[in-house]
Amino acid sequence: LWDAHTGVRTAHEDFVLDYSRPASDPFWTIVVADPQRDTMFARAVYRRGAMTLQALREKIGDGPFFQILRTWAADHKYGTATTEEFIALSERISGRGLSDFFRVWLYTPEKPTTW
């Protein structure tokens, strides 16, 4: 979103750029929701986390997506939260079952092909 704000490229273009990595790239082997000691600061954790948000945005639309972000920030200001809580909030606001979506993007150590 910052790249879009500054005119570098849209969030979708950033997504496509990262998604263009081949399925054999180690970028796709990290379980984003559970990075290990040696990978918790890997670029893939941050980039794939951002990709997950963009894929969610494209799946549910801007209205629900930005409502999720605003609600999440307000509800967890100065606190901590879990991935499961984010998924539950996303499902509640979007009115959609998103467990398969998040399983593919956050818990599967391979390049997503459907979501």
Side-chain angles (χ1 to χ4, degrees), residues 13-97:
E13 290 168 337
D14 268 343
F15 175 91
V16 170
L17 188 64
D18 279 328
Y19 192 78
S20 69
R21 296 170 190 259
S24 60
D25 192 307
F27 180 82
W28 301 111
T29 62
I30 295 172
V31 176
V32 177
D34 188 25
Q36 301 302 301
R37 180 180 51 91
D38 294 340
T39 59
M40 71 173 67
F41 298 110
R43 180 172 175 80
V45 172
Y46 295 94
R47 297 300 304 167
R48 286 184 50 206
M51 290 177 75
T52 302
L53 292 175
Q54 181 60 27
L56 177 63
R57 178 184 181 188
E58 293 181 17
K59 184 171 186 73
I60 66 173
D62 281 356
F65 176 75
F66 287 107
Q67 184 180 354
I68 290 165
L69 295 188
R70 286 189 301 275
T71 303
W72 183 256
D75 288 355
H76 300 289
K77 186 177 181 179
Y78 308 120
T80 60
T82 67
T83 301
E84 291 75 20
E85 289 171 314
F86 184 81
I87 292 168
L89 177 68
S90 297
E91 289 182 327
R92 183 173 56 81
I93 289 176
S94 72
R96 298 174 72 171

